[in-house]
Amino acid sequence: MTNILAIETSCDETAVAIVNNRQVYSNIVASQIPVHKLYGGVVPEVASRQHLESINGLINQALEQAQLDWDRIDAIATTCAPGLVGALLVGQTTAKTLAMVHNKSFLGVHHLEGHIYATYLGDPTLEPPFLSLLVSGGHTSLIYVKDCGVYETLGQTRDDAAGEAFDKVARLLQLGYPGGPVIDKLAKQGNPQAFKLPEGKVSLPEGGYHPYDASFSGLKTAVLRLVQKLEKEGERLPLSDIAASFQETVAKGLTKRVIKCAVDYGLCKIAVGGGVAANSALRLHLREAAASHNFQVIFPPLKFCTDNAAMIGCAAADHFKRGHTSALNLKVRSRMHLNQVMELYEQ
Ligand code: KG4
Ligand code: ZN
């Protein structure tokens, strides 16, 4: 029995959880969305301050909810990279201090490895290898999951993340922040075929297109041009048709890449994570396409798709089991490639 207390503060959710491998004893998330909403997006300084204000209370709540005291905690884990440096520092300093005070092991966790481990929380029987599609406000990646700490990034976005594209399009349609849920809701009343938008293919120097990489900035500009054209023509903006057409383009583009990648690498299990995993069009298209190839597709419960600390604890538990712990002088990093995960641990 190894109980891990985990902290996640890489962006705009302050989260604390206690897990025992793939079992979650408590999972508390304090979202900062209402605060950042006032500014139309995440303000890093505000995020750090909010983390600082809530973290201690959330740790106490997590212990209470799990009905555990410090004696029963074996290790303390926190996200160390990638993310907003000031925000990461709050979680990391807290975790290191608690590890020192209570004489526990300390583990730094890569945020994306956490998102991959979220899949195990939804399906504890799952084992690698599988293909992971991570689609959030900060990331869009296709990852070949081979083992704990062993990942190959097969595809990614060349510019905006998928969620970022939803947020930017929502902003230009003046629908508020975060954009994904509003666009998803509005799209339900619209015609997804109303406007033809570019899917965002990435050209290769040798000709042709990258099979798995995506680009969303062209799509966002195409929506902007469409809005400008319709406004110039004096038309009332058909918001639901624009939302539905945009969403359809993103969902179909992602589905095409995921399926091609799974076929090429012979991976018949596909796990989806990140806030955009909530998108109804993505769920529909990916489920349909996966079924026609006899692939299994796993969408973990949404509370584990969006940022949370249970996924960080689950990843830390696997590393801890293998004897990996982090040094107390480990630094936070705003950027870190997933294939550098093992740099976080002393072995
Ligand atoms: O994983 P997440 O909570 O935080 C990050 O690590 O970024 O993802 C947040 C992103 C936002 O960009 C939000 O607009 C998007 O996920 N999102 C959605 C939906 N719900 C949230 N995008 C499309 N459809 C949704 N239903
Ligand atoms: Zn995330």
Side-chain angles (χ1 to χ4, degrees), residues 74-92:
D74 300 284
I76 300 176
T78 189
T79 308
C80 283
L84 302 169
V85 165
L88 287 168
L89 269 173
V90 177
Q92 204 205 47

Side-chain angles (χ1 to χ4, degrees), residues 295-308:
F295 292 160
Q296 183 193 359
V297 58
I298 306 145
F299 287 92
L302 201 62
K303 64 178 178 194
F304 298 136
C305 285
T306 51
D307 285 351
N308 66 88

Side-chain angles (χ1 to χ4, degrees), residues 41-342:
V42 178
V43 183
E45 263 307 307
V46 175
S48 311
R49 247 168 225 283
Q50 293 281 318
H51 288 313
L52 205 53
E53 278 174 27
S54 18
I55 190 86
N56 288 334
L58 297 186
I59 291 169
N60 291 336
Q61 271 184 48
L63 285 163
E64 249 169 59
Q65 210 178 80
Q67 295 187 321
L68 292 175
D69 55 27
W70 285 109
D71 292 345
R72 304 273 313 279
I73 301 293
D74 300 284
I76 300 176
T78 189
T79 308
C80 283
L84 302 169
V85 165
L88 287 168
L89 269 173
V90 177
Q92 204 205 47
T93 311
T94 309
K96 283 179 178 175
T97 310
L98 289 171
M100 275 190 277
V101 170
H102 296 287
N103 196 22
K104 310 288 178 191
S105 296
F106 164 70
L107 290 98
V109 176
H110 192 290
H111 184 76
L112 292 192
E113 188 173 40
H115 273 301
I116 292 169
Y117 271 78
T119 315
Y120 300 126
L121 298 174
D123 181 355
T125 61
L126 180 72
E127 291 299 336
F130 59 89
L131 182 64
S132 171
L133 169 69
L134 295 186
V135 272
S136 70
H139 331 276
T140 299
S141 318
L142 265 171
I143 297 156
Y144 184 168
V145 179
K146 299 179 177 177
D147 198 356
C148 173
V150 189
Y151 308 104
E152 190 182 342
T153 303
L154 302 175
Q156 55 202 322
T157 174
R158 296 292 180 101
D159 37 59
D160 295 344
E164 197 177 353
F166 272 92
D167 295 337
K168 286 182 174 169
V169 166
R171 193 181 311 160
L172 80 89
L173 297 176
Q174 300 185 347
L175 298 172
Y177 174 86
V182 202
I183 290 188
D184 201 349
K185 195 165 165 214
L186 200 59
K188 289 193 170 49
Q189 298 137 37
N191 172 10
Q193 317 303 335
F195 301 104
K196 180 137 185 52
L197 296 165
E199 173 197 306
K201 291 182 186 163
V202 175
S203 311
L204 291 172
E206 64 272 25
Y209 298 101
H210 194 291
Y212 319 129
D213 279 3
S215 158
F216 293 107
S217 73
L219 171 58
K220 174 196 65 195
T221 310
V223 176
L224 174 66
R225 299 267 179 274
L226 173 66
V227 168
Q228 287 169 337
K229 178 174 159 279
L230 293 170
E231 278 174 345
K232 207 163 148 198
E233 289 165 0
E235 291 202 28
R236 211 169 138 259
L237 283 183
L239 287 177
S240 52
D241 284 349
I242 300 175
S245 304
F246 162 74
Q247 176 171 283
E248 186 79 353
T249 310
V250 175
K252 281 194 162 167
L254 285 172
T255 299
K256 195 172 92 184
R257 286 167 177 77
V258 175
I259 297 294
K260 167 119 185 74
C261 195
V263 170
D264 290 351
Y265 282 82
L267 296 166
C268 57
K269 290 179 278 185
I270 301 163
V272 191
V276 185
N279 188 261
S280 54
L282 178 63
R283 286 179 172 242
L284 184 78
H285 289 301
L286 195 50
R287 280 206 171 111
E288 270 180 13
S292 72
H293 284 81
N294 262 336
F295 292 160
Q296 183 193 359
V297 58
I298 306 145
F299 287 92
L302 201 62
K303 64 178 178 194
F304 298 136
C305 285
T306 51
D307 285 351
N308 66 88
M311 66 183 195
I312 302 299
C314 185
D318 215 359
H319 281 286
F320 194 54
K321 220 164 44 188
R322 291 159 199 251
H324 306 163
T325 54
S326 303
L328 281 172
N329 63 357
L330 183 74
K331 297 209 163 30
V332 300
R333 284 161 71 171
S334 63
R335 288 167 168 270
M336 186 181 193
H337 204 274
L338 197 56
N339 62 14
Q340 295 170 296
V341 160
M342 292 313 296

